[in-house]
């Protein structure tokens, strides 16, 4: 089953400016031929293989790149799925936005499509975090492909996020000094229909920790626990 990803318009506007992602332009993958891979395991599997090209930098907080790859999503009760990505990422004054090419080849803002922030990769670009700092709650929507199933969207909420005390952890890039950022992720109950069989998908709550590593300007590991079952998304390749 193929999944089509989306993020609600409310998240893009959210009554606020998009969070400042200063430092994203200095991320290790931000160069022509840059690559990063995320691998997920557990009850809620989330991952991606991304490549970066057409990278240009006008300053420390101003750059752009084309991002291509495949994102994967697996939710307990549904078969795993994937979605192809081909976006233009523009970082201006530390604020990031995403565009795609329309049928005429024009670049238009991404609306109702997959948001790379859901991977956690681009969530905290500012490397000057501090203990006790908070980030606002968010709401994401994942639309299943109507050609494959007749289902309601999967709606995901995250509570406000709080930065904990910095720790040294082991990552695929070696030992790093990283900030644990803690929050709760709630997936609303929904249902999917497969060949006339209606499959209920229960609501779930997970306690989540994103490990943001300042020297790499990115989240290198996400840990979560749902009903006592541990899940993890980790950057396994970075170049």
């Amino acid at each position: 089953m193929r999944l089509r990803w989306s993020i609600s318009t409310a998240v893009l506007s959210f009554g606020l400016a998009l969070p400042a992602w200063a430092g994203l332009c200095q991320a290790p993958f931000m160069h022509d031929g840059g690559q990063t891979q995320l691998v997920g395991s557990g009850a809620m599997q989330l991952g991606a293989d991304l490549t970066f090209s057409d990278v240009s930098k006008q300053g420390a907080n101003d750059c752009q790149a084309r991002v291509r790859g495949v994102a994967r999503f697996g939710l307990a009760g549904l078969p795993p799925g994937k979605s192809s990505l081909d976006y233009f990422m523009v970082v201006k004054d530390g604020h990031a936005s995403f565009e795609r090419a329309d049928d005429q080849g024009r670049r238009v803002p991404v609306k109702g499509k997959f948001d790379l922030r859901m991977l956690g990769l681009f969530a905290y670009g500012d490397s000057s975090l501090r203990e006790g700092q908070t980030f606002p709650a968010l709401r994401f929507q994942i639309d299943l492909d109507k050609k494959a199933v007749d289902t309601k969207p999967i709606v995901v909420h995250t509570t406000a996020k709080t930065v904990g005390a910095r720790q040294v952890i082991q990552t695929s890039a070696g030992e790093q000094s990283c900030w644990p950022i803690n929050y709760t992720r709630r997936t609303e109950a929904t249902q999917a229909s497969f060949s006339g069989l209606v499959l209920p998908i229960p609501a779930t709550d997970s306690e989540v920790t994103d490990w943001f590593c300042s020297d790499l300007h990115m989240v290198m590991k996400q840990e979560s626990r749902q009903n006592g079952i541990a899940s993890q998304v980790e950057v396994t390749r970075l170049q």
Side-chain angles (χ1 to χ4, degrees):
M1 178 184 67
R2 182 174 64 86
L3 294 181
R4 186 181 70 247
W5 297 64
S6 72
I7 180 171
S8 66
T9 304
V11 173
L12 289 174
S13 58
F14 204 62
L16 302 166
L18 283 172
W21 295 340
L24 180 56
C25 295
Q26 286 77 52
F29 52 74
M30 192 58 72
H31 62 89
D32 286 335
Q35 298 179 30
T36 187
Q37 179 184 62
L38 293 89
V39 175
S41 61
M44 190 172 184
Q45 299 179 29
L46 194 63
D49 294 286
L50 303 175
T51 61
F52 298 79
S53 62
D54 303 321
V55 176
S56 63
K57 299 182 181 181
Q58 294 75 46
N61 297 322
D62 293 88
C63 61
Q64 58 181 304
R66 190 165 188 174
V67 186
R68 295 186 179 98
V70 176
R72 296 175 297 277
F73 180 83
L75 181 67
L78 281 177
K82 63 182 180 180
S83 178
S84 296
L85 305 177
D86 188 354
Y87 294 150
F88 299 94
M89 180 174 65
V90 179
V91 181
K92 184 69 173 176
D93 296 327
H95 295 262
S97 61
F98 295 92
E99 301 172 339
R100 62 179 178 84
D102 65 11
D103 294 338
Q104 287 73 46
R106 297 171 300 186
R107 286 171 55 167
V108 296
V110 172
K111 294 181 179 179
K113 297 292 182 181
F114 174 72
D115 187 335
L116 291 169
R117 286 178 302 164
M118 189 156 186
L119 295 173
L121 185 63
F122 303 127
Y124 322 98
D126 189 344
S127 58
S128 59
L129 300 187
R130 64 185 184 278
E131 186 176 355
Q133 182 177 352
T134 60
F135 294 88
L138 293 175
R139 178 184 184 275
F140 295 95
Q141 180 171 299
I142 304 167
D143 289 336
L144 297 177
D145 192 340
K146 300 299 184 183
K147 295 179 181 178
V149 294
D150 181 18
T151 183
K152 297 178 181 179
I154 298 173
V155 178
V156 181
H157 301 265
T158 61
T159 62
K161 304 178 180 183
T162 304
V163 180
R166 185 155 52 178
Q167 303 176 38
V168 175
I169 66 169
Q170 186 65 39
T171 75
S172 60
E175 285 192 347
Q176 297 289 329
S177 178
C178 306
W179 298 95
I181 302 170
N182 304 300
Y183 57 97
T184 299
R185 179 175 60 211
R186 178 175 178 78
T187 303
E188 293 183 4
T190 186
Q191 63 182 34
S193 177
F194 299 90
S195 302
L197 176 65
V198 177
L199 177 66
I201 302 172
T204 60
D205 288 283
S206 303
E207 298 303 315
V208 182
T209 300
D210 292 339
W211 290 93
F212 178 81
C213 304
S214 300
D215 289 347
L216 299 174
H217 305 282
M218 62 187 292
V219 171
M220 291 296 289
K221 185 184 300 186
Q222 181 188 88
E223 299 171 329
S224 63
R225 184 166 292 275
Q226 172 190 316
N227 296 328
I229 301 175
S231 300
Q232 180 172 283
V233 180
E234 185 172 9
V235 175
T236 56
R237 186 175 72 239
L238 184 63
Q239 62 185 54

